[in-house]
Amino acid sequence: MKGKDVFTKNEIDRLKSLIAERNAPSTSRSGQKRIRDEMRKIGFYGGDDFGIYNLQLVDFENLIMSGRIKISDMNDVKGEHRNESVEKQENLDFQRTLEEFELLDPVCGKEISPQCDYIVCLEDGSPLPDIGEKVEMKTHMGLRVIYVGTTKRLWGRYREHFMMNNSGKSTLRKSLGAMFGYQQVPRDKENPNNGKTKFVDEDEERLSEWMINNLKVFYKSYMSYNSSEEIIEEELIKFYNPPLNLDRNNNSRNKSFREKLSAMRKNKGAKR
């Protein structure tokens, strides 16, 4: 044997990548030779050791399945495969649950279990206020997600977000108002120095109108979940990376956007 028949998992993964690259239509003859040389450096000689020429990925997989090629850290590989299988099933369950979110209709008055997860999206064609930072958004039902939350009182929370004209009780409103450059004022007249703020009344009214016209809310009631399938707020944040969720969001994407938004929320100056 010119090469070897026992490889580490990392070597196996690298060989698979090289085989796929070598068989790509765009790979030149010189590129194929370079790839063959790299495979030989790893210790794989397809023709000399296994009698296979024009090697395809299926041929390589068959060598592994038949035991002609062995993986030195196979126990670790089996464990990883089990973990991957569990992770795939969990992802599938998660996707199925996301598909069960319903569009909230504030007008219909439908009875809803108060304890819910909810997803706030931009209407199709509606932009976020521009703060001079690039922002990426994933979609739910084709609409861009800007915020997610969980609540034990859905209608009350909806009113706080969209209708109560008091951004001191809604982080979503506070962020959007800051992005519009609205002026912050003390929230509590009895204790104006407690650091809690809202926007001036006319700006609160403008903000409510903009939110009602430009945002959609999807919800999923906890009562329809199996206990093993409950989605917590942290999972939604991790999956969607909503740009207006500033807490518990450690995704590197949109980091600059979130940092600037946090600074704007702390700025209690006048309008831009």
Side-chain angles (χ1 to χ4, degrees):
M1 177 170 278
K2 292 186 66 173
K4 60 184 184 180
D5 59 0
V6 179
F7 300 88
T8 67
K9 179 184 180 300
N10 287 338
E11 289 173 332
I12 291 290
D13 290 342
R14 181 57 182 155
L15 286 169
K16 287 181 180 180
S17 177
L18 290 169
I19 293 167
E21 183 183 354
R22 187 180 183 186
N23 287 301
S26 59
T27 303
S28 64
R29 188 176 296 274
S30 61
Q32 291 176 347
K33 183 178 183 302
R34 172 188 58 79
I35 293 169
R36 182 197 64 191
D37 292 342
E38 185 171 347
M39 293 173 69
R40 288 179 174 177
K41 287 180 181 178
I42 296 174
F44 181 83
Y45 286 74
D48 294 311
D49 291 342
F50 302 101
I52 300 176
Y53 301 90
N54 191 26
L55 180 74
Q56 305 294 311
L57 272 174
V58 64
D59 300 320
F60 190 70
E61 293 284 2
N62 286 337
L63 289 173
I64 297 172
M65 293 295 294
S66 67
R68 296 181 68 190
I69 284 181
K70 303 174 182 62
I71 304 175
S72 59
D73 42 0
M74 191 63 193
N75 288 335
D76 293 339
V77 173
K78 288 180 179 178
E80 289 183 12
H81 284 330
R82 285 195 295 271
N83 291 337
E84 289 173 3
S85 177
V86 170
E87 184 177 353
K88 286 180 180 178
Q89 184 60 49
E90 289 176 348
N91 288 338
L92 182 60
D93 292 341
F94 185 75
Q95 289 288 347
R96 287 172 177 166
T97 306
L98 290 179
E99 293 172 1
E100 295 173 0
F101 273 72
E102 298 181 60
L103 179 64
L104 178 66
D105 183 356
V107 179
C108 75
K110 175 184 175 182
E111 287 294 330
I112 299 171
S113 172
Q115 189 161 336
C116 298
D117 287 318
Y118 60 93
I119 302 169
V120 182
C121 302
L122 286 168
E123 285 268 22
D124 189 25
S126 296
L128 271 180
D130 184 10
I131 64 171
E133 286 287 345
K134 182 179 178 181
V135 60
E136 300 179 18
M137 288 173 276
K138 295 183 71 173
T139 61
H140 177 79
M141 304 297 185
L143 300 178
R144 291 160 295 160
V145 177
I146 65 169
Y147 186 83
V148 303
T150 186
T151 180
K152 294 183 178 180
R153 48 188 187 90
L154 180 62
W155 285 115
R157 194 58 176 151
Y158 177 85
R159 287 192 292 271
E160 286 176 350
H161 282 324
F162 283 76
M163 302 166 62
M164 285 187 67
N165 292 344
N166 188 345
S167 294
K169 294 186 177 181
S170 165
T171 57
L172 175 61
R173 286 182 68 89
K174 186 74 169 287
S175 291
L176 287 168
M179 294 172 72
F180 278 116
Y182 292 158
Q183 179 183 0
Q184 297 184 42
V185 296
R187 189 190 76 180
D188 301 323
K189 293 181 180 179
E190 297 80 7
N191 188 8
N193 297 318
N194 64 6
K196 297 178 180 179
T197 63
K198 54 174 282 187
F199 301 114
V200 297
D201 290 344
E202 61 180 11
D203 286 339
E204 291 280 2
E205 292 175 5
R206 290 192 187 100
L207 184 55
S208 291
E209 182 178 2
W210 184 91
M211 293 177 70
I212 290 170
N213 290 331
N214 290 276
L215 301 180
K216 293 281 191 185
V217 177
F218 296 86
Y219 73 94
K220 180 95 169 71
S221 168
Y222 282 153
M223 286 188 67
S224 62
Y225 288 176
N226 294 324
S227 59
S228 61
E229 297 174 345
E230 287 188 2
I231 296 179
I232 60 175
E233 186 178 10
E234 286 80 358
E235 291 180 80
L236 289 169
I237 292 172
K238 183 178 179 181
F239 182 77
Y240 284 115
N241 184 24
L244 271 58
N245 281 89
L246 305 181
D247 292 334
R248 300 189 297 280
N249 190 348
N250 300 314
N251 197 310
S252 60
R253 292 183 181 274
N254 296 332
K255 182 178 180 181
S256 296
F257 177 91
R258 294 196 305 272
E259 288 176 345
K260 184 167 184 178
L261 176 56
S262 294
M264 294 175 70
R265 284 168 52 98
K266 295 175 183 176
N267 178 14
K268 298 179 175 58
K271 280 188 180 182
R272 291 182 293 186

